[in-house]
Amino acid sequence: MPEADWASAGQPLGLFGGTFDPVHFGHLRLAEEACEALGLTGIRWLPAGQPPHREPPRVAASHRLAMVRLAVAGNTRFSVDAAEVEAAAPSYTVTTLTRLRRELGPQQPLVLLLGADAFAGLTTWHRWQEIFALAHLAVLHRPGYPLRPESLPETLAWQYRARQAAGPAAWAAAPGGCILTLPMTQLDISATHIRALLARGASPRYLLPDAVLDYIRRHQLYGPR
Ligand code: ATP
């Protein structure tokens, strides 16, 4: 895209995909801190329908979507995009980004938010190298997943080094293509741990919003297998 076109680009929009099985405070804090640090106009949450690159989620997509809706309710900068859940096909980030690019236009800066663990696994994603042409990537630090280029697959380490944004002005002016790393409050919370607590009848309270926990209890989700 010629530089003149970048000048008319809008405020960057954050995109946050995940299995959210269930959504927890690690996710919410990541979204909140990225929104502030990057001056995002808002964040679209993208719950995955059938994630192809990992174990099938424990609960149905409709439940995971409902829990994300409860978690983000009341935050006017957060919205939920249900397209991946409603699609019958597997969820590929590249397909979602292509759809959003079409919807929002070529100039809109898009920032895909990823925890460091998700970024380290990027080379296993469908057509992963095409993602850079569609959006920026913001990689947020996560406890237990140090971000070291030397421990990334070589092709990803190369992209990581080549695409580091020189500064906020460089990436905010372009619709995509840069990789930014962001520190965030380190919250050692995972959906895996929450599922394990629930499976043994222990309480995950204060690791996730009360409204989400109420939903889990009401629908008797994540009990012992
Ligand atoms: P699971 O334990 O089932 O793998 P999860 O807690 O990692 O789930 P996901 O829905 O897989 O949650 O994650 C969605 C996104 O949020 C990913 O990019 C992941 O890296 C990021 N993320 C999840 N939890 C945290 C956390 N505590 N700190 C930083 N990033 C996180």
Side-chain angles (χ1 to χ4, degrees):
M1 171 172 300
E3 205 161 330
D5 287 350
W6 295 1
S8 57
Q11 218 182 332
L13 174 69
L15 306 171
F16 188 30
T19 317
F20 306 125
D21 188 23
V23 62
H24 54 67
F25 283 135
H27 300 130
L28 285 157
R29 194 63 208 164
L30 178 155
E32 181 70 9
E33 293 194 21
C35 208
E36 291 215 349
L38 303 175
L40 304 177
T41 174
I43 294 186
R44 278 205 203 184
W45 291 61
L46 300 156
Q50 309 167 34
H53 58 275
R54 55 179 290 165
E55 292 270 289
R58 182 65 204 285
V59 308
S62 56
H63 283 311
R64 293 182 287 105
L65 172 64
M67 291 188 280
V68 171
R69 286 206 162 115
L70 288 169
V72 308
N75 187 326
T76 52
R77 292 190 299 187
F78 292 169
S79 62
V80 182
D81 184 326
E84 288 191 10
V85 167
E86 284 160 3
S91 309
Y92 294 116
T93 300
V94 71
T95 316
T96 298
L97 290 176
T98 304
R99 168 177 64 82
L100 292 172
R101 203 18 101 211
R102 215 177 295 128
E103 180 190 320
L104 299 165
Q107 287 142 337
Q108 171 65 51
L110 296 175
V111 186
L112 182 68
L113 308 176
L114 291 172
D117 58 312
F119 177 69
L122 197 69
T123 58
T124 64
W125 293 18
H126 185 53
R127 291 162 43 202
W128 68 276
Q129 310 235 28
E130 293 173 38
I131 289 175
F132 301 110
L134 294 161
H136 299 297
L137 261 59
V139 185
L140 286 102
H141 296 188
R142 182 172 187 179
Y145 300 93
L147 237 181
R148 280 196 297 260
E150 62 275 16
S151 48
L152 295 173
E154 203 178 316
T155 42
L156 184 59
W158 186 87
Q159 294 282 4
Y160 181 70
R161 289 197 184 93
R163 294 180 177 279
Q164 290 285 322
W171 73 267
C178 296
I179 299 178
L180 309 123
T181 53
L182 271 188
M184 65 167 273
T185 306
Q186 295 292 276
L187 295 173
D188 194 2
I189 302 175
S190 69
T192 303
H193 179 56
I194 292 171
R195 293 193 300 272
L197 289 172
L198 287 161
R200 62 170 195 261
S203 170
R205 198 168 175 206
Y206 305 127
L207 297 176
L208 73 179
D210 283 347
V212 174
L213 184 53
D214 289 347
Y215 183 96
I216 289 171
R217 296 220 159 111
R218 210 166 46 248
H219 294 270
Q220 301 180 336
L221 306 178
Y222 306 111
R225 283 179 190 269

